[in-house]
């Protein structure tokens, strides 16, 4: 029987790696009777309690159709160069960039919200000197909870999915939306939010919209 490792993936990269995850998943397939044991090993090795921030850049289809893919890739590059310092300055890390999305991790939800507000403000400042057709806009979804964190290179979990859904499908331009779990991590006085609901695939989803402060508008 395999020993269950402690959750020490931040110091032991050999345990927390894509290769090790694939090996463990392969063992579940090969030894289905050990599924519970190996699942516990995976959760102890890769499990992490984090705030997940997903940024979605607006206008992909419109800009690509009008100016071509190179123009939009340039806008993604500009967006990332503007936003990444805001992420780092608030204690976050950029886990991955996929198409026009950024996936980030923070220890605290309040830091993820602050980073989102600063990114929105910095994008607005950049738009002041950019041609109208090159303006940069983003929306933000934030979740919080137990996820699988693969060496700070990839992330999986329900709150990752919720943050993606909020940021990509529900949030409007410059909006910051929180999952219920993310909102529960905030002190009442830290961030002002408003409860809202949306129906997705017949399921009612409750989320919280951050009410923007004038300093970030």
């Amino acid at each position: 029987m395999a020993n269950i490792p402690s959750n020490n993936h931040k110091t032991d990269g050999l345990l927390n790696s894509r290769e090790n995850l694939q090996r463990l998943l392969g063992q579940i397939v090969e030894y289905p009777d050990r599924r519970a044991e190996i699942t516990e090993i995976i959760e102890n090795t890769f499990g992490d309690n984090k705030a997940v921030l997903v940024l979605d850049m607006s206008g992909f289809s419109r800009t690509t159709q009008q100016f071509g893919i190179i123009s939009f890739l340039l806008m993604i590059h500009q967006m990332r160069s503007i936003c990444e310092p805001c992420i780092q300055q608030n204690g976050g890390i950029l886990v991955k960039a996929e198409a026009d999305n950024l996936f980030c991790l923070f220890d605290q939800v309040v830091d993820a919200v602050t980073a989102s507000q600063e990114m929105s403000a910095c994008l607005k400042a950049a738009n002041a000197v950019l041609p109208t057709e090159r303006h940069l806009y983003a929306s933000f979804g934030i979740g919080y909870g137990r996820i699988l964190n693969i060496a700070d290179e990839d992330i999986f979990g329900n709150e990752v999915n919720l943050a993606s859904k909020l940021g990509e499908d529900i949030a409007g331009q410059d909006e910051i939306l929180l999952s219920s779990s993310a909102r529960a991590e905030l002190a009442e006085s830290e961030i002002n939010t408003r409860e809202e609901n949306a129906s997705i695939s017949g399921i009612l989803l409750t989320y919280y919209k951050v009410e923007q402060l004038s300093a970030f508008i």
Side-chain angles (χ1 to χ4, degrees):
M1 301 288 284
N3 292 325
I4 297 173
S6 63
N7 188 7
N8 192 34
H9 62 268
K10 293 190 182 305
T11 58
D12 193 341
L14 293 178
L15 284 177
N16 190 321
S17 67
R18 292 179 187 273
E19 293 76 16
N20 192 35
L21 177 61
Q22 292 303 314
R23 180 183 65 81
L24 291 167
L25 292 173
Q27 287 185 356
I28 292 178
V29 175
E30 188 173 358
Y31 307 105
D33 58 315
R34 295 179 57 201
R35 178 174 184 141
E37 173 202 356
I38 299 170
T39 296
E40 187 175 358
I41 292 173
I42 291 174
E43 291 176 347
N44 278 276
T45 304
F46 300 95
D48 220 350
N49 292 312
K50 290 287 185 179
V52 181
L53 165 63
V54 178
L55 176 154
D56 180 63
M57 188 172 174
S58 306
F60 179 86
S61 298
R62 172 182 51 79
T63 303
T64 301
Q65 290 174 1
Q66 187 173 1
F67 299 105
I69 188 62
I70 300 301
S71 292
F72 194 73
L73 290 176
L74 175 59
M75 293 172 69
I76 292 175
H77 177 79
Q78 291 175 308
M79 177 269 290
R80 181 169 175 175
S81 66
I82 291 169
C83 292
E84 200 161 359
C86 299
I87 298 167
Q88 295 171 349
Q89 289 163 13
N90 286 283
I93 60 170
L94 175 60
V95 174
K96 61 180 179 177
E98 290 186 350
D100 59 339
N101 296 330
L102 300 182
F103 291 78
C104 314
L105 290 179
F106 295 81
D107 289 333
Q108 304 292 331
V109 172
V110 65
D111 295 327
V113 173
T114 301
S116 300
Q117 292 173 323
E118 291 180 3
M119 284 187 276
S120 182
C122 288
L123 291 174
K124 289 179 181 178
N127 287 342
V129 296
L130 288 171
T132 302
E133 66 274 11
R134 310 292 186 190
H135 280 188
L136 305 170
Y137 301 106
S139 53
F140 308 87
I142 298 173
Y144 180 86
R146 192 73 170 170
I147 64 168
L148 294 184
N149 177 7
I150 317 304
D152 289 340
E153 295 176 353
D154 211 349
I155 49 178
F156 302 95
N158 184 56
E159 289 297 315
V160 178
N161 297 337
L162 283 174
S164 297
K165 179 67 68 175
L166 292 172
E168 295 182 52
D169 299 336
I170 301 178
Q173 183 177 301
D174 295 324
E175 288 185 342
I176 303 168
L177 305 184
L178 310 180
S179 71
S180 295
S181 294
R183 179 63 188 87
E185 285 298 306
L186 292 175
E188 288 297 326
S189 60
E190 283 184 303
I191 302 291
N192 293 321
T193 62
R194 181 174 69 250
E195 180 179 323
E196 297 190 352
N197 298 282
S199 180
I200 301 177
S201 301
I203 299 175
L204 184 64
L205 174 65
T206 298
Y207 61 91
Y208 295 82
K209 180 179 178 181
V210 173
E211 297 181 344
Q212 298 285 13
L213 300 176
S214 58
F216 291 102
I217 295 176

